[in-house]
Amino acid sequence: MALLFLSSAERAAVWVAAFEAAGEKIIVGEEAVTDPADVTHLLCWTPPKDLQRYPNLQVVISSGAGVDQMPALPAGMELVRALDPGIEEMVRDWVVMATLMLHRTMPAYLEQAGQGQWKPQAVSHARNARVGIMGMGRIGTLAAQTLGAMGFKVSGWSRSGRAVADVPVYGLQDLDRFLGQSDILICLLPLTAETRGILNATLFAKLPEAAALVHAGRGAQLDMQAMRDALDSGALRHAMLDVTNPEPLPADHWAWHDPRVIVTPHIAAVTDHHAGALHALEVVRATRAKSPLPGRVDQNRGY
Ligand code: NDP
Ligand code: OXD
């Protein structure tokens, strides 16, 4: 069994050390493959086109937590996403920061600061703010627990509506009810055929008036023009985005220059190379033991 590593040189050094320490085989770069039959696992952001070159390839591991960039894999090949509690905590931290910034009207203060304006805005307790989280997976659940502990009234929405301790979770058919009580809407959904473009005019119209948007899922879930219209109409008050549509956001894009919107360049989380390597080692061992693969993606659902 060998893992073929197709990612950055900086990441390679850490992975090689971890694999060698664990006595597992790793090959860095396709040019280093002497026998393609050795390759059973592949680490990449997107795979090379000719996967049939590797007759024993069983598992493709995404170097990111999201897998929306992956093409359809040959039948029978498993797909695994990067699993790292550190990534989840970092995204949670960004979401908590964004929620607090919007709850405490920071976009207005940043605009006032540019004009040297000392002007208090209305202040409200966290317990008065209803926070709705779209996507109650690993990250959404962590964010819900932290925001709940801070006093926010948190609810969630997910495909299954699966219960999460202390957080009311709505299912697919209750989307409108969920939206109608989300003063601050947080999107932590994976990008799939169902969630592409989900943050659109129809959805914004269902939020309470002057709601705020926090988006850290994927840019293609957001209709940026619909968001601008919602800001103009007052349906939305402010937005904070870590992911944008398109990405990277061009320098002359209106969202950079609109004081109602704060953009960060997809930095909510950065991958910890060592944690990534340890997860891949777990995947290799689980494959050998024929046990469930940690981070396995249901390729029919797309996440
Ligand atoms: P998970 O797979 O653990 O959770 C996904 C959640 O979304 C689940 O609750 C799932 O529902 C729900 N969901 C999926 N499809 C739908 C749908 N059509 N309608 C309603 N709910 C749906 O993912 P993570 O929490 O680990 O990550 C979420 C996303 O965050 C990633 O896919 C990635 O796009 C993004 N991300 C962004 C980062 C950044 O730096 N900005 C960093 C890392 C991730 P159910 O529970 O029923 O299955
Ligand atoms: C990821 C991300 O998917 O950083 O890992 O968005």
Side-chain angles (χ1 to χ4, degrees):
M1 249 175 203
L3 178 133
L4 172 57
F5 179 94
L6 302 181
S7 185
S8 70
E10 180 205 353
R11 189 182 294 215
V14 178
W15 279 60
V16 168
F19 270 63
E20 284 179 357
E24 295 287 355
K25 190 165 175 195
I26 182 166
I27 305 167
V28 178
E30 289 200 274
E31 58 291 344
V33 176
T34 48
D35 183 358
D38 286 345
V39 175
T40 52
H41 294 70
L42 170 65
L43 179 280
C44 60
W45 178 247
T46 50
K49 287 205 171 57
D50 57 342
L51 280 183
Q52 54 281 18
R53 186 176 163 219
Y54 304 106
N56 296 321
L57 180 60
Q58 298 174 48
V59 185
V60 174
I61 306 175
S62 165
S63 54
V67 292
D68 46 282
Q69 77 288 0
M70 284 284 175
L73 298 179
M77 201 172 284
E78 294 283 6
L79 176 61
V80 163
R81 70 198 184 107
L83 268 197
D84 170 9
I87 292 185
E88 293 152 20
E89 287 161 9
M90 286 183 97
V91 182
R92 183 270 319 269
D93 293 350
W94 185 94
V95 164
V96 169
M97 171 186 70
T99 305
L100 284 171
M101 284 180 73
L102 298 189
H103 175 59
R104 299 301 294 261
T105 58
M106 274 309 286
Y109 289 118
L110 292 174
E111 188 180 9
Q112 289 176 202
Q115 296 152 10
Q117 237 189 342
W118 182 281
K119 183 177 157 211
Q121 301 280 335
V123 179
S124 166
H125 285 284
R127 64 174 177 268
N128 296 327
R130 298 167 299 172
V131 173
I133 303 182
M134 302 179 83
M136 288 296 287
R138 297 174 66 97
I139 302 174
T141 298
L142 199 54
Q145 286 163 344
T146 307
L147 289 166
M150 294 172 76
F152 288 99
K153 274 192 205 144
V154 183
S155 60
W157 178 72
S158 70
R159 217 166 65 103
S160 59
R162 194 183 51 237
V164 169
D166 302 326
V167 183
V169 181
Y170 295 80
L172 281 189
Q173 54 297 0
D174 286 325
L175 176 61
D176 290 4
R177 219 148 55 85
F178 162 79
L179 292 172
Q181 50 88 71
S182 296
D183 301 315
I184 300 178
L185 182 71
I186 299 174
C187 181
L188 285 168
L189 289 166
L191 178 62
T192 65
E194 287 77 34
T195 67
R196 184 175 292 277
I198 192 168
L199 301 174
N200 57 28
T202 311
L203 179 142
F204 294 139
K206 291 175 179 164
L207 294 171
E209 208 184 320
L213 173 68
V214 172
H215 188 24
R218 282 289 184 262
Q221 289 158 341
L222 174 62
D223 179 339
M224 300 272 293
Q225 185 54 47
M227 181 183 78
R228 188 183 203 177
D229 294 343
L231 288 162
D232 289 345
S233 74
L236 280 180
R237 177 171 41 98
H238 292 133
M240 187 141 170
L241 316 175
D242 184 53
V243 290
T244 58
N245 188 6
E247 214 170 276
L249 199 62
D252 60 353
H253 195 280
W254 65 268
W256 285 121
H257 310 288
D258 189 319
R260 300 167 299 182
V261 182
I262 296 177
V263 176
T264 56
H266 201 144
I267 46 67
V270 290
T271 312
D272 175 314
H273 302 330
H274 189 63
L278 294 185
H279 169 241
L281 280 167
E282 275 182 50
V283 173
V284 169
R285 291 186 191 119
T287 312
R288 190 176 288 122
K290 297 193 182 350
S291 12
L293 302 180
R296 179 181 178 273
V297 171
D298 178 335
Q299 295 178 66
N300 291 321
R301 287 189 325 190
Y303 71 97

